[in-house]
Amino acid sequence: MKNKVLVFVDLVAAKNKLQLDVVQEMGMEMTWFVNVYKPGSDKYFNGGGQVKLEGGFRGRFRQVYAFLKQNKKTIHHLEIYPGGRFSFIYLFLGKWFGIRTICSERGDLLYYNTAGYDKLVRFSMYCCYKFADIVWYREPYMIETLKTIRSKGLFFLHNAIHIHPHNIDIKNKSIDFLWLNRVIPERKSKWFLSVLKTLPFTKTNNLLVGMQEDTAWNEEGDFVRGNCPVNLSLAPYSPDPIQYFKQAKFFVLPADVVFANHALLEAMSYGLVPLISDTPGSALIVDDHVNGFLFEHTEAGFQQAMEEAVNMDEKTYLQYAQASREKVMREFSVDKYRDRLAELYKLAS
């Protein structure tokens, strides 16, 4: 019986738990080959588990080849995240053993036509997009680029989240505006710093979670550290950010790409009121001045939305917060995700 799903990715994070839960409910087991092994993620598995990839090319090739050869009769398919130098190797090893492949696109495509990745990574990405049996994409903007590479085998399934019981109580909120995403050029952290330095926000308490060391975007992080206003605290990237969602009132995401950002959906599930850029797909999540704020994708538009938010009365805030939570429960539910994932896996059979 082919019931094993193999995933090749950097690491297993809390946001991957939903897929693991759903796949295991389907009677399948997942093995995740990871560059970074996190022991805390072992609790998400019921069968399968994490396998730390070896570092060098030869060792990694032998490791993956041996696993595929030994388990080829029980492997349902491979899921390959394309943004890595080895990704095309996993793809062609899958082809060699006659195993179906899904290119699991979660955001690397944003850098496909830029200098963000070197030539080898972009070559690897192209091979995955072109030759995988199916490309699973999660954002509406991705379809334009993908259709320049292939015309068939494209499957859209956006992120979804578990909804946890949580009472929305503004009196226990200690954080006014929360930024919880990586600090990268496509997300306008400089706008956030600039707006917080203006008069309406001098007495607010704000938090930016997402600082990272030794990344391709060190310049962005260095700017934040060097220009951080006194009303903003900084915290490193967190794989389990629930503590911040419970403490915050507003979630900010001024970004070129917004739709189905996992942190955004999770924040809304806890009743945070979102402020997001009005970019393609954003209006499918936030109903402007109903469950949050859609602002013109400029610093001025962002500032205007933040000023409106900080001046909201308690009654209006609670109305927006409840509507925010209800929107995610209605449109980004686990049930819808489960049905679509089962459809995707059927196509990969």
Side-chain angles (χ1 to χ4, degrees), residues 1-8 28-33 63-80 90 93-102 133 345 348-349:
M1 178 180 178
K2 293 189 174 184
N3 67 338
K4 298 182 187 295
V5 177
L6 268 59
V7 182
F8 294 88
M28 306 175 80
E29 70 173 36
M30 302 190 81
T31 298
W32 294 56
F33 282 86
Q63 177 191 25
V64 175
Y65 180 92
F67 189 95
L68 296 182
K69 183 178 181 180
Q70 181 178 352
N71 295 278
K72 62 183 179 180
K73 293 183 179 180
T74 59
I75 296 173
H76 186 269
H77 69 269
L78 311 184
E79 286 180 27
I80 303 164
Y90 310 143
L93 281 174
K95 298 286 186 183
W96 178 265
F97 286 107
I99 301 170
R100 298 277 285 176
T101 55
I102 296 176
D133 293 299
Y345 281 11
S349 297

mmCIF file of all heavy atoms in Angstrom, residues 1-8 28-33 63-80 90 93-102 133 345 348-349:
data_model
loop_
_atom_site.group_PDB
_atom_site.id
_atom_site.type_symbol
_atom_site.label_atom_id
_atom_site.label_comp_id
_atom_site.label_asym_id
_atom_site.label_seq_id
_atom_site.Cartn_x
_atom_site.Cartn_y
_atom_site.Cartn_z
ATOM 1 N N MET A 1 0.843 -1.202 0.000
ATOM 2 C CA MET A 1 0.000 0.000 0.000
ATOM 3 C C MET A 1 0.868 1.238 0.000
ATOM 4 O O MET A 1 1.786 1.377 0.801
ATOM 5 C CB MET A 1 -0.897 0.008 1.239
ATOM 6 C CG MET A 1 -1.767 1.240 1.340
ATOM 7 S SD MET A 1 -2.810 1.191 2.828
ATOM 8 C CE MET A 1 -3.629 2.770 2.657
ATOM 9 N N LYS A 2 0.588 2.165 -0.901
ATOM 10 C CA LYS A 2 1.366 3.404 -0.981
ATOM 11 C C LYS A 2 0.741 4.446 -0.061
ATOM 12 O O LYS A 2 -0.168 5.173 -0.440
ATOM 13 C CB LYS A 2 1.420 3.902 -2.418
ATOM 14 C CG LYS A 2 2.200 2.980 -3.345
ATOM 15 C CD LYS A 2 2.427 3.614 -4.709
ATOM 16 C CE LYS A 2 3.329 2.757 -5.574
ATOM 17 N NZ LYS A 2 3.638 3.390 -6.870
ATOM 18 N N ASN A 3 1.257 4.522 1.168
ATOM 19 C CA ASN A 3 0.670 5.427 2.148
ATOM 20 C C ASN A 3 1.678 6.384 2.775
ATOM 21 O O ASN A 3 1.374 7.069 3.746
ATOM 22 C CB ASN A 3 -0.011 4.631 3.262
ATOM 23 C CG ASN A 3 0.986 3.858 4.117
ATOM 24 O OD1 ASN A 3 2.105 3.567 3.678
ATOM 25 N ND2 ASN A 3 0.587 3.519 5.321
ATOM 26 N N LYS A 4 2.904 6.425 2.225
ATOM 27 C CA LYS A 4 3.928 7.317 2.770
ATOM 28 C C LYS A 4 4.046 8.582 1.919
ATOM 29 O O LYS A 4 4.106 8.505 0.694
ATOM 30 C CB LYS A 4 5.295 6.628 2.822
ATOM 31 C CG LYS A 4 5.368 5.397 3.704
ATOM 32 C CD LYS A 4 6.791 4.844 3.713
ATOM 33 C CE LYS A 4 6.873 3.514 4.446
ATOM 34 N NZ LYS A 4 6.557 3.661 5.874
ATOM 35 N N VAL A 5 4.084 9.720 2.583
ATOM 36 C CA VAL A 5 4.340 10.995 1.923
ATOM 37 C C VAL A 5 5.684 11.505 2.404
ATOM 38 O O VAL A 5 5.918 11.619 3.619
ATOM 39 C CB VAL A 5 3.240 12.027 2.246
ATOM 40 C CG1 VAL A 5 3.566 13.369 1.603
ATOM 41 C CG2 VAL A 5 1.877 11.528 1.791
ATOM 42 N N LEU A 6 6.578 11.790 1.466
ATOM 43 C CA LEU A 6 7.899 12.325 1.808
ATOM 44 C C LEU A 6 7.943 13.804 1.476
ATOM 45 O O LEU A 6 7.576 14.206 0.365
ATOM 46 C CB LEU A 6 8.999 11.600 1.022
ATOM 47 C CG LEU A 6 9.635 10.376 1.684
ATOM 48 C CD1 LEU A 6 8.597 9.318 1.994
ATOM 49 C CD2 LEU A 6 10.731 9.819 0.804
ATOM 50 N N VAL A 7 8.375 14.608 2.440
ATOM 51 C CA VAL A 7 8.457 16.060 2.262
ATOM 52 C C VAL A 7 9.907 16.486 2.425
ATOM 53 O O VAL A 7 10.572 16.088 3.384
ATOM 54 C CB VAL A 7 7.573 16.796 3.287
ATOM 55 C CG1 VAL A 7 7.627 18.301 3.051
ATOM 56 C CG2 VAL A 7 6.135 16.294 3.215
ATOM 57 N N PHE A 8 10.388 17.311 1.490
ATOM 58 C CA PHE A 8 11.738 17.863 1.565
ATOM 59 C C PHE A 8 11.619 19.366 1.813
ATOM 60 O O PHE A 8 11.077 20.094 0.976
ATOM 61 C CB PHE A 8 12.508 17.590 0.272
ATOM 62 C CG PHE A 8 12.772 16.132 0.028
ATOM 63 C CD1 PHE A 8 11.855 15.341 -0.652
ATOM 64 C CD2 PHE A 8 13.928 15.537 0.507
ATOM 65 C CE1 PHE A 8 12.088 13.996 -0.868
ATOM 66 C CE2 PHE A 8 14.178 14.189 0.294
ATOM 67 C CZ PHE A 8 13.255 13.414 -0.389
ATOM 68 N N MET A 28 -2.506 8.138 6.205
ATOM 69 C CA MET A 28 -1.166 8.148 5.618
ATOM 70 C C MET A 28 -0.174 8.633 6.664
ATOM 71 O O MET A 28 -0.551 9.179 7.701
ATOM 72 C CB MET A 28 -1.150 9.055 4.380
ATOM 73 C CG MET A 28 -2.217 8.698 3.351
ATOM 74 S SD MET A 28 -2.286 9.846 1.949
ATOM 75 C CE MET A 28 -0.917 9.215 0.970
ATOM 76 N N GLU A 29 1.092 8.413 6.415
ATOM 77 C CA GLU A 29 2.114 8.904 7.321
ATOM 78 C C GLU A 29 3.108 9.764 6.554
ATOM 79 O O GLU A 29 3.322 9.568 5.354
ATOM 80 C CB GLU A 29 2.829 7.765 8.036
ATOM 81 C CG GLU A 29 3.733 6.904 7.160
ATOM 82 C CD GLU A 29 4.536 5.892 7.976
ATOM 83 O OE1 GLU A 29 4.002 5.355 8.972
ATOM 84 O OE2 GLU A 29 5.693 5.651 7.613
ATOM 85 N N MET A 30 3.692 10.732 7.253
ATOM 86 C CA MET A 30 4.601 11.674 6.610
ATOM 87 C C MET A 30 6.001 11.558 7.205
ATOM 88 O O MET A 30 6.160 11.481 8.427
ATOM 89 C CB MET A 30 4.096 13.108 6.770
ATOM 90 C CG MET A 30 2.704 13.364 6.208
ATOM 91 S SD MET A 30 2.269 15.128 6.164
ATOM 92 C CE MET A 30 3.122 15.638 4.656
ATOM 93 N N THR A 31 6.981 11.561 6.316
ATOM 94 C CA THR A 31 8.381 11.664 6.715
ATOM 95 C C THR A 31 8.923 12.945 6.117
ATOM 96 O O THR A 31 8.798 13.174 4.913
ATOM 97 C CB THR A 31 9.196 10.458 6.209
ATOM 98 O OG1 THR A 31 8.675 9.262 6.792
ATOM 99 C CG2 THR A 31 10.666 10.610 6.587
ATOM 100 N N TRP A 32 9.481 13.791 6.957
ATOM 101 C CA TRP A 32 9.991 15.092 6.523
ATOM 102 C C TRP A 32 11.518 15.071 6.575
ATOM 103 O O TRP A 32 12.110 14.920 7.646
ATOM 104 C CB TRP A 32 9.449 16.209 7.419
ATOM 105 C CG TRP A 32 7.964 16.406 7.300
ATOM 106 C CD1 TRP A 32 6.995 15.463 7.481
ATOM 107 C CD2 TRP A 32 7.277 17.622 6.957
ATOM 108 N NE1 TRP A 32 5.758 16.004 7.279
ATOM 109 C CE2 TRP A 32 5.893 17.320 6.962
ATOM 110 C CE3 TRP A 32 7.702 18.908 6.652
ATOM 111 C CZ2 TRP A 32 4.928 18.292 6.679
ATOM 112 C CZ3 TRP A 32 6.733 19.866 6.379
ATOM 113 C CH2 TRP A 32 5.366 19.557 6.381
ATOM 114 N N PHE A 33 12.142 15.197 5.426
ATOM 115 C CA PHE A 33 13.594 15.345 5.352
ATOM 116 C C PHE A 33 13.907 16.836 5.520
ATOM 117 O O PHE A 33 13.454 17.654 4.711
ATOM 118 C CB PHE A 33 14.107 14.833 4.009
ATOM 119 C CG PHE A 33 14.189 13.334 3.921
ATOM 120 C CD1 PHE A 33 13.083 12.576 3.552
ATOM 121 C CD2 PHE A 33 15.369 12.679 4.231
ATOM 122 C CE1 PHE A 33 13.151 11.197 3.475
ATOM 123 C CE2 PHE A 33 15.446 11.297 4.155
ATOM 124 C CZ PHE A 33 14.344 10.555 3.786
ATOM 125 N N GLN A 63 21.996 9.212 0.930
ATOM 126 C CA GLN A 63 20.960 9.086 1.955
ATOM 127 C C GLN A 63 19.557 9.019 1.335
ATOM 128 O O GLN A 63 18.771 8.121 1.642
ATOM 129 C CB GLN A 63 21.050 10.277 2.913
ATOM 130 C CG GLN A 63 19.989 10.302 3.992
ATOM 131 C CD GLN A 63 19.975 11.633 4.744
ATOM 132 O OE1 GLN A 63 20.386 12.666 4.219
ATOM 133 N NE2 GLN A 63 19.507 11.602 5.984
ATOM 134 N N VAL A 64 19.260 9.966 0.452
ATOM 135 C CA VAL A 64 17.930 10.023 -0.148
ATOM 136 C C VAL A 64 17.732 8.863 -1.124
ATOM 137 O O VAL A 64 16.666 8.231 -1.161
ATOM 138 C CB VAL A 64 17.711 11.380 -0.849
ATOM 139 C CG1 VAL A 64 16.374 11.411 -1.585
ATOM 140 C CG2 VAL A 64 17.770 12.514 0.179
ATOM 141 N N TYR A 65 18.760 8.564 -1.915
ATOM 142 C CA TYR A 65 18.681 7.444 -2.867
ATOM 143 C C TYR A 65 18.357 6.145 -2.137
ATOM 144 O O TYR A 65 17.471 5.380 -2.552
ATOM 145 C CB TYR A 65 20.004 7.317 -3.624
ATOM 146 C CG TYR A 65 20.035 6.200 -4.640
ATOM 147 C CD1 TYR A 65 19.689 6.439 -5.969
ATOM 148 C CD2 TYR A 65 20.414 4.907 -4.282
ATOM 149 C CE1 TYR A 65 19.709 5.407 -6.905
ATOM 150 C CE2 TYR A 65 20.441 3.873 -5.192
ATOM 151 C CZ TYR A 65 20.089 4.130 -6.514
ATOM 152 O OH TYR A 65 20.114 3.101 -7.434
ATOM 153 N N ALA A 66 19.065 5.898 -1.033
ATOM 154 C CA ALA A 66 18.865 4.646 -0.292
ATOM 155 C C ALA A 66 17.451 4.573 0.277
ATOM 156 O O ALA A 66 16.806 3.510 0.249
ATOM 157 C CB ALA A 66 19.893 4.537 0.827
ATOM 158 N N PHE A 67 16.949 5.701 0.787
ATOM 159 C CA PHE A 67 15.601 5.699 1.373
ATOM 160 C C PHE A 67 14.542 5.439 0.302
ATOM 161 O O PHE A 67 13.625 4.641 0.500
ATOM 162 C CB PHE A 67 15.333 7.029 2.070
ATOM 163 C CG PHE A 67 14.066 7.033 2.887
ATOM 164 C CD1 PHE A 67 14.100 6.755 4.245
ATOM 165 C CD2 PHE A 67 12.831 7.296 2.300
ATOM 166 C CE1 PHE A 67 12.930 6.738 5.008
ATOM 167 C CE2 PHE A 67 11.662 7.280 3.045
ATOM 168 C CZ PHE A 67 11.713 6.997 4.402
ATOM 169 N N LEU A 68 14.683 6.098 -0.843
ATOM 170 C CA LEU A 68 13.708 5.911 -1.916
ATOM 171 C C LEU A 68 13.754 4.478 -2.459
ATOM 172 O O LEU A 68 12.711 3.878 -2.735
ATOM 173 C CB LEU A 68 13.963 6.912 -3.039
ATOM 174 C CG LEU A 68 13.778 8.393 -2.703
ATOM 175 C CD1 LEU A 68 14.025 9.254 -3.939
ATOM 176 C CD2 LEU A 68 12.396 8.680 -2.142
ATOM 177 N N LYS A 69 14.941 3.945 -2.605
ATOM 178 C CA LYS A 69 15.075 2.582 -3.113
ATOM 179 C C LYS A 69 14.424 1.576 -2.171
ATOM 180 O O LYS A 69 13.720 0.650 -2.600
ATOM 181 C CB LYS A 69 16.551 2.242 -3.307
ATOM 182 C CG LYS A 69 16.783 0.857 -3.902
ATOM 183 C CD LYS A 69 18.269 0.593 -4.123
ATOM 184 C CE LYS A 69 18.491 -0.781 -4.746
ATOM 185 N NZ LYS A 69 19.948 -1.037 -4.967
ATOM 186 N N GLN A 70 14.626 1.782 -0.879
ATOM 187 C CA GLN A 70 14.102 0.847 0.109
ATOM 188 C C GLN A 70 12.578 0.950 0.250
ATOM 189 O O GLN A 70 11.900 -0.045 0.521
ATOM 190 C CB GLN A 70 14.759 1.098 1.470
ATOM 191 C CG GLN A 70 14.302 0.147 2.557
ATOM 192 C CD GLN A 70 15.008 0.409 3.874
ATOM 193 O OE1 GLN A 70 15.940 1.204 3.945
ATOM 194 N NE2 GLN A 70 14.583 -0.270 4.930
ATOM 195 N N ASN A 71 12.034 2.154 0.068
ATOM 196 C CA ASN A 71 10.618 2.389 0.374
ATOM 197 C C ASN A 71 9.760 2.698 -0.849
ATOM 198 O O ASN A 71 8.583 3.064 -0.700
ATOM 199 C CB ASN A 71 10.502 3.553 1.365
ATOM 200 C CG ASN A 71 11.115 3.254 2.711
ATOM 201 O OD1 ASN A 71 10.502 2.628 3.558
ATOM 202 N ND2 ASN A 71 12.349 3.713 2.901
ATOM 203 N N LYS A 72 10.296 2.542 -2.052
ATOM 204 C CA LYS A 72 9.591 2.995 -3.251
ATOM 205 C C LYS A 72 8.208 2.365 -3.421
ATOM 206 O O LYS A 72 7.303 2.984 -3.984
ATOM 207 C CB LYS A 72 10.436 2.751 -4.491
ATOM 208 C CG LYS A 72 10.768 1.287 -4.759
ATOM 209 C CD LYS A 72 11.668 1.149 -5.977
ATOM 210 C CE LYS A 72 12.024 -0.308 -6.244
ATOM 211 N NZ LYS A 72 12.905 -0.445 -7.431
ATOM 212 N N LYS A 73 8.021 1.142 -2.929
ATOM 213 C CA LYS A 73 6.739 0.467 -3.106
ATOM 214 C C LYS A 73 5.651 0.997 -2.176
ATOM 215 O O LYS A 73 4.469 0.723 -2.379
ATOM 216 C CB LYS A 73 6.905 -1.040 -2.904
ATOM 217 C CG LYS A 73 7.743 -1.713 -3.983
ATOM 218 C CD LYS A 73 7.810 -3.215 -3.772
ATOM 219 C CE LYS A 73 8.629 -3.886 -4.872
ATOM 220 N NZ LYS A 73 8.716 -5.366 -4.676
ATOM 221 N N THR A 74 6.049 1.751 -1.145
ATOM 222 C CA THR A 74 5.064 2.270 -0.188
ATOM 223 C C THR A 74 4.965 3.796 -0.217
ATOM 224 O O THR A 74 4.164 4.372 0.508
ATOM 225 C CB THR A 74 5.415 1.828 1.245
ATOM 226 O OG1 THR A 74 6.722 2.306 1.586
ATOM 227 C CG2 THR A 74 5.363 0.317 1.370
ATOM 228 N N ILE A 75 5.767 4.452 -1.061
ATOM 229 C CA ILE A 75 5.743 5.913 -1.124
ATOM 230 C C ILE A 75 4.645 6.369 -2.076
ATOM 231 O O ILE A 75 4.644 5.995 -3.256
ATOM 232 C CB ILE A 75 7.099 6.476 -1.571
ATOM 233 C CG1 ILE A 75 8.182 6.149 -0.534
ATOM 234 C CG2 ILE A 75 7.011 7.991 -1.785
ATOM 235 C CD1 ILE A 75 9.586 6.521 -0.979
ATOM 236 N N HIS A 76 3.742 7.162 -1.582
ATOM 237 C CA HIS A 76 2.644 7.694 -2.393
ATOM 238 C C HIS A 76 3.142 8.801 -3.306
ATOM 239 O O HIS A 76 2.870 8.801 -4.513
ATOM 240 C CB HIS A 76 1.536 8.226 -1.480
ATOM 241 C CG HIS A 76 0.304 8.673 -2.210
ATOM 242 N ND1 HIS A 76 0.123 9.969 -2.651
ATOM 243 C CD2 HIS A 76 -0.811 7.991 -2.582
ATOM 244 C CE1 HIS A 76 -1.055 10.073 -3.248
ATOM 245 N NE2 HIS A 76 -1.639 8.882 -3.226
ATOM 246 N N HIS A 77 3.904 9.762 -2.744
ATOM 247 C CA HIS A 77 4.491 10.837 -3.556
ATOM 248 C C HIS A 77 5.529 11.597 -2.734
ATOM 249 O O HIS A 77 5.603 11.457 -1.514
ATOM 250 C CB HIS A 77 3.406 11.803 -4.064
ATOM 251 C CG HIS A 77 2.776 12.642 -2.995
ATOM 252 N ND1 HIS A 77 1.650 12.259 -2.308
ATOM 253 C CD2 HIS A 77 3.117 13.858 -2.478
ATOM 254 C CE1 HIS A 77 1.313 13.183 -1.432
ATOM 255 N NE2 HIS A 77 2.196 14.173 -1.503
ATOM 256 N N LEU A 78 6.297 12.404 -3.434
ATOM 257 C CA LEU A 78 7.236 13.336 -2.801
ATOM 258 C C LEU A 78 6.655 14.738 -2.868
ATOM 259 O O LEU A 78 6.060 15.126 -3.870
ATOM 260 C CB LEU A 78 8.586 13.340 -3.525
ATOM 261 C CG LEU A 78 9.283 12.020 -3.842
ATOM 262 C CD1 LEU A 78 10.643 12.311 -4.469
ATOM 263 C CD2 LEU A 78 9.433 11.171 -2.606
ATOM 264 N N GLU A 79 6.865 15.528 -1.803
ATOM 265 C CA GLU A 79 6.541 16.952 -1.821
ATOM 266 C C GLU A 79 7.843 17.717 -1.649
ATOM 267 O O GLU A 79 8.543 17.549 -0.649
ATOM 268 C CB GLU A 79 5.554 17.315 -0.710
ATOM 269 C CG GLU A 79 4.148 16.842 -1.003
ATOM 270 C CD GLU A 79 3.154 17.188 0.095
ATOM 271 O OE1 GLU A 79 3.371 18.177 0.825
ATOM 272 O OE2 GLU A 79 2.147 16.464 0.204
ATOM 273 N N ILE A 80 8.147 18.545 -2.637
ATOM 274 C CA ILE A 80 9.454 19.189 -2.681
ATOM 275 C C ILE A 80 9.288 20.704 -2.652
ATOM 276 O O ILE A 80 8.622 21.274 -3.516
ATOM 277 C CB ILE A 80 10.207 18.771 -3.959
ATOM 278 C CG1 ILE A 80 10.345 17.244 -4.021
ATOM 279 C CG2 ILE A 80 11.573 19.445 -4.017
ATOM 280 C CD1 ILE A 80 10.713 16.723 -5.393
ATOM 281 N N TYR A 90 16.172 15.915 -5.643
ATOM 282 C CA TYR A 90 15.081 15.120 -5.077
ATOM 283 C C TYR A 90 14.043 14.811 -6.156
ATOM 284 O O TYR A 90 13.515 13.691 -6.229
ATOM 285 C CB TYR A 90 14.395 15.869 -3.928
ATOM 286 C CG TYR A 90 15.318 16.425 -2.874
ATOM 287 C CD1 TYR A 90 15.062 17.655 -2.265
ATOM 288 C CD2 TYR A 90 16.448 15.729 -2.462
ATOM 289 C CE1 TYR A 90 15.891 18.176 -1.297
ATOM 290 C CE2 TYR A 90 17.294 16.239 -1.492
ATOM 291 C CZ TYR A 90 17.016 17.467 -0.910
ATOM 292 O OH TYR A 90 17.844 17.988 0.043
ATOM 293 N N LEU A 93 15.421 12.134 -8.582
ATOM 294 C CA LEU A 93 15.476 10.829 -7.916
ATOM 295 C C LEU A 93 14.073 10.224 -7.832
ATOM 296 O O LEU A 93 13.887 9.013 -8.016
ATOM 297 C CB LEU A 93 16.072 10.971 -6.512
ATOM 298 C CG LEU A 93 17.597 11.095 -6.445
ATOM 299 C CD1 LEU A 93 18.053 11.366 -5.019
ATOM 300 C CD2 LEU A 93 18.276 9.834 -6.977
ATOM 301 N N GLY A 94 13.078 11.078 -7.562
ATOM 302 C CA GLY A 94 11.706 10.597 -7.577
ATOM 303 C C GLY A 94 11.321 10.050 -8.934
ATOM 304 O O GLY A 94 10.712 8.978 -9.052
ATOM 305 N N LYS A 95 11.700 10.776 -9.985
ATOM 306 C CA LYS A 95 11.412 10.302 -11.348
ATOM 307 C C LYS A 95 12.122 8.974 -11.628
ATOM 308 O O LYS A 95 11.557 8.073 -12.267
ATOM 309 C CB LYS A 95 11.869 11.357 -12.358
ATOM 310 C CG LYS A 95 11.177 12.718 -12.259
ATOM 311 C CD LYS A 95 9.771 12.672 -12.784
ATOM 312 C CE LYS A 95 9.146 14.056 -12.823
ATOM 313 N NZ LYS A 95 7.739 14.027 -13.273
ATOM 314 N N TRP A 96 13.355 8.869 -11.163
ATOM 315 C CA TRP A 96 14.145 7.664 -11.399
ATOM 316 C C TRP A 96 13.455 6.426 -10.824
ATOM 317 O O TRP A 96 13.443 5.353 -11.440
ATOM 318 C CB TRP A 96 15.526 7.829 -10.774
ATOM 319 C CG TRP A 96 16.421 6.635 -10.913
ATOM 320 C CD1 TRP A 96 16.608 5.635 -10.003
ATOM 321 C CD2 TRP A 96 17.236 6.294 -12.036
ATOM 322 N NE1 TRP A 96 17.501 4.704 -10.471
ATOM 323 C CE2 TRP A 96 17.908 5.088 -11.733
ATOM 324 C CE3 TRP A 96 17.482 6.899 -13.274
ATOM 325 C CZ2 TRP A 96 18.783 4.470 -12.609
ATOM 326 C CZ3 TRP A 96 18.363 6.281 -14.149
ATOM 327 C CH2 TRP A 96 18.999 5.093 -13.819
ATOM 328 N N PHE A 97 12.847 6.592 -9.653
ATOM 329 C CA PHE A 97 12.190 5.458 -8.996
ATOM 330 C C PHE A 97 10.695 5.375 -9.330
ATOM 331 O O PHE A 97 9.979 4.551 -8.749
ATOM 332 C CB PHE A 97 12.380 5.548 -7.477
ATOM 333 C CG PHE A 97 13.766 5.193 -7.038
ATOM 334 C CD1 PHE A 97 14.645 6.177 -6.605
ATOM 335 C CD2 PHE A 97 14.204 3.874 -7.056
ATOM 336 C CE1 PHE A 97 15.929 5.850 -6.191
ATOM 337 C CE2 PHE A 97 15.490 3.541 -6.647
ATOM 338 C CZ PHE A 97 16.359 4.533 -6.216
ATOM 339 N N GLY A 98 10.225 6.199 -10.265
ATOM 340 C CA GLY A 98 8.832 6.129 -10.684
ATOM 341 C C GLY A 98 7.847 6.605 -9.626
ATOM 342 O O GLY A 98 6.713 6.114 -9.560
ATOM 343 N N ILE A 99 8.274 7.552 -8.807
ATOM 344 C CA ILE A 99 7.436 8.070 -7.721
ATOM 345 C C ILE A 99 6.858 9.419 -8.144
ATOM 346 O O ILE A 99 7.583 10.266 -8.677
ATOM 347 C CB ILE A 99 8.250 8.237 -6.421
ATOM 348 C CG1 ILE A 99 8.850 6.882 -6.003
ATOM 349 C CG2 ILE A 99 7.382 8.813 -5.305
ATOM 350 C CD1 ILE A 99 9.874 6.996 -4.876
ATOM 351 N N ARG A 100 5.593 9.627 -7.900
ATOM 352 C CA ARG A 100 4.937 10.889 -8.247
ATOM 353 C C ARG A 100 5.501 12.034 -7.403
ATOM 354 O O ARG A 100 5.939 11.838 -6.258
ATOM 355 C CB ARG A 100 3.431 10.786 -8.027
ATOM 356 C CG ARG A 100 2.756 9.732 -8.886
ATOM 357 C CD ARG A 100 2.453 10.251 -10.276
ATOM 358 N NE ARG A 100 1.309 11.155 -10.261
ATOM 359 C CZ ARG A 100 0.874 11.816 -11.329
ATOM 360 N NH1 ARG A 100 1.497 11.693 -12.487
ATOM 361 N NH2 ARG A 100 -0.184 12.614 -11.247
ATOM 362 N N THR A 101 5.487 13.245 -7.985
ATOM 363 C CA THR A 101 6.105 14.390 -7.316
ATOM 364 C C THR A 101 5.166 15.595 -7.319
ATOM 365 O O THR A 101 4.479 15.868 -8.301
ATOM 366 C CB THR A 101 7.421 14.795 -7.997
ATOM 367 O OG1 THR A 101 7.173 15.042 -9.390
ATOM 368 C CG2 THR A 101 8.468 13.701 -7.857
ATOM 369 N N ILE A 102 5.160 16.313 -6.191
ATOM 370 C CA ILE A 102 4.446 17.586 -6.074
ATOM 371 C C ILE A 102 5.462 18.655 -5.716
ATOM 372 O O ILE A 102 6.192 18.525 -4.723
ATOM 373 C CB ILE A 102 3.359 17.531 -4.985
ATOM 374 C CG1 ILE A 102 2.268 16.517 -5.343
ATOM 375 C CG2 ILE A 102 2.745 18.913 -4.762
ATOM 376 C CD1 ILE A 102 1.219 16.344 -4.255
ATOM 377 N N ASP A 133 5.092 16.507 -11.277
ATOM 378 C CA ASP A 133 3.790 16.094 -11.808
ATOM 379 C C ASP A 133 2.721 17.150 -11.522
ATOM 380 O O ASP A 133 1.843 17.400 -12.349
ATOM 381 C CB ASP A 133 3.379 14.749 -11.189
ATOM 382 C CG ASP A 133 4.287 13.617 -11.646
ATOM 383 O OD1 ASP A 133 4.335 13.350 -12.860
ATOM 384 O OD2 ASP A 133 4.963 13.023 -10.792
ATOM 385 N N TYR A 345 -4.116 14.988 -3.348
ATOM 386 C CA TYR A 345 -3.435 13.714 -3.195
ATOM 387 C C TYR A 345 -4.010 12.648 -4.119
ATOM 388 O O TYR A 345 -3.292 11.730 -4.549
ATOM 389 C CB TYR A 345 -3.503 13.252 -1.736
ATOM 390 C CG TYR A 345 -2.503 13.947 -0.840
ATOM 391 C CD1 TYR A 345 -1.785 15.051 -1.286
ATOM 392 C CD2 TYR A 345 -2.255 13.520 0.455
ATOM 393 C CE1 TYR A 345 -0.858 15.692 -0.478
ATOM 394 C CE2 TYR A 345 -1.322 14.133 1.277
ATOM 395 C CZ TYR A 345 -0.640 15.235 0.797
ATOM 396 O OH TYR A 345 0.280 15.862 1.600
ATOM 397 N N ALA A 348 -2.327 13.045 -7.290
ATOM 398 C CA ALA A 348 -0.928 12.584 -7.214
ATOM 399 C C ALA A 348 -0.806 11.065 -7.150
ATOM 400 O O ALA A 348 0.305 10.541 -7.122
ATOM 401 C CB ALA A 348 -0.251 13.192 -5.986
ATOM 402 N N SER A 349 -1.936 10.360 -7.132
ATOM 403 C CA SER A 349 -1.891 8.895 -7.045
ATOM 404 C C SER A 349 -1.394 8.252 -8.331
ATOM 405 O O SER A 349 -1.623 8.795 -9.421
ATOM 406 C CB SER A 349 -3.282 8.354 -6.706
ATOM 407 O OG SER A 349 -3.715 8.813 -5.446
#
